[in-house]
Amino acid sequence: MGLLLLSDQNWPKKSYLIFSQVVFMVYTLASLLLILLAESPIYSLHLSLFLAYPLLALSLLSFRVALFFILFFSVAVNFLLMLQLDGVFRAAYLTVFWSITLLTLLHYFSHIAYAEGLKKQLNRDVKTQLLNKNQLVINLYKEQKRAQRELTSLGIIFIVNADAFDLCSINEIMHYFSPYEGLYSLSSNQLVALIPLFDTAELNYRENELVKQLPKLSFSSQLDTEQQPLVDYLKAYINKLEVENEY
């Protein structure tokens, strides 16, 4: 099961994860063997393994693989404790195990949520609160894959202002874009919108509509094509902006 989850990883990372799973499998078997061979009942031994196991699993393995090991360990230990403990003590041990597992999972998900929130803050422009050019490149890769799967098109619209954008002007511009159309900050007076398209003619139509609705701003567009991929075009454009800002 764990090996199937690694099919889309690069080989060095795949090798490391396979090694981690093998090591943890040996640790699991050793723990079960220790419970089976220990003189009954050794409560401290059982509790120490119960407390440590979910913590180690979720810290050393990927989430799905760790959950698989935890479920297997729980079933196996329940069977082994049937040989050593009566129903009351066995239920108490399993309650402790799943309580620790639940607390570990809550900590795991809260840590992921915090990391994602921190990452979003780092990828936002301080003045406009829009996602910045680094996040634009990341999201562009995702949108390109989505467009390939759905056989649709993808385009960008550059928005240039004579002065620096403020929150008021940003809010006005965002009224003309759907929630799934990302708006990003390239510089203090330049924005770019990432537009998923059903056909290529739609990009020109959207640009013309924006020119009518926002006459004080300048607009230009670029379509994602095999001859000129948007990722390459944007990277070159961003590098050009950075060189201009240096001077």
Side-chain angles (χ1 to χ4, degrees):
M1 175 182 178
L3 298 181
L4 294 176
L5 299 173
L6 305 173
S7 58
D8 57 343
Q9 310 271 348
N10 55 54
W11 177 244
K13 187 175 182 179
K14 182 189 295 186
S15 301
Y16 172 77
L17 293 177
I18 292 175
F19 177 75
S20 299
Q21 292 178 39
V22 171
V23 170
F24 204 78
M25 188 179 300
V26 173
Y27 169 77
T28 301
L29 295 176
S31 300
L32 296 175
L33 186 63
L34 192 60
I35 292 176
L36 180 63
L37 298 179
E39 295 182 5
S40 176
I42 302 182
Y43 301 123
S44 59
L45 171 64
H46 294 163
L47 281 175
S48 63
L49 290 173
F50 273 30
L51 293 173
Y53 195 86
L55 296 172
L56 291 173
L58 288 168
S59 61
L60 298 177
L61 303 173
S62 61
F63 177 73
R64 292 183 180 180
V65 177
L67 197 59
F68 168 77
F69 273 98
I70 290 171
L71 289 172
F72 170 78
F73 186 75
S74 174
V75 172
V77 167
N78 184 36
F79 174 76
L80 293 178
L81 292 184
M82 287 176 63
L83 305 176
Q84 302 184 38
L85 302 175
D86 58 30
V88 175
F89 283 106
R90 190 169 70 253
Y93 276 112
L94 291 176
T95 300
V96 171
F97 176 78
W98 283 109
S99 297
I100 294 298
T101 300
L102 178 61
L103 292 175
T104 306
L105 287 172
L106 290 175
H107 174 74
Y108 178 85
F109 287 126
S110 63
H111 175 73
I112 291 178
Y114 175 77
E116 288 293 326
L118 185 62
K119 182 180 178 181
K120 287 182 179 179
Q121 289 182 353
L122 293 174
N123 286 341
R124 285 190 181 275
D125 181 73
V126 178
K127 294 182 179 180
T128 63
Q129 291 301 304
L130 294 175
L131 294 172
N132 60 22
K133 50 183 176 285
N134 295 328
Q135 189 63 39
L136 170 61
V137 175
I138 295 173
N139 290 352
L140 182 55
Y141 279 112
K142 297 179 181 178
E143 286 298 320
Q144 282 182 321
K145 292 180 180 179
R146 183 201 57 78
Q148 291 173 359
R149 291 195 307 268
E150 299 178 2
L151 300 178
T152 55
S153 301
L154 186 65
I156 55 175
I157 296 179
F158 292 98
I159 307 169
V160 181
N161 192 11
D163 302 316
F165 286 104
D166 55 23
L167 290 177
C168 183
S169 59
I170 293 295
N171 290 331
E172 181 184 1
I173 294 171
M174 291 183 69
H175 285 304
Y176 299 98
F177 294 94
S178 301
Y180 61 86
E181 296 173 337
L183 193 62
Y184 303 83
S185 175
L186 291 184
S187 65
S188 60
N189 67 329
Q190 293 193 52
L191 309 177
V192 62
L194 188 57
I195 311 291
L197 307 167
F198 290 106
D199 56 66
T200 55
E202 187 179 351
L203 184 60
N204 292 331
Y205 173 79
R206 291 296 304 277
E207 182 182 351
N208 293 333
E209 287 297 311
L210 289 171
V211 170
K212 295 177 184 178
Q213 299 293 337
L214 301 167
K216 295 182 180 180
L217 303 177
S218 301
F219 299 90
S220 60
S221 60
Q222 179 68 35
L223 189 67
D224 186 34
T225 61
E226 293 183 0
Q227 293 76 19
Q228 190 172 31
L230 277 181
V231 172
D232 296 339
Y233 182 84
L234 271 175
K235 285 182 177 179
Y237 189 84
I238 291 171
N239 290 335
K240 179 181 177 183
L241 284 179
E242 292 176 349
V243 171
E244 291 176 352
N245 290 335
E246 290 179 357
Y247 295 97

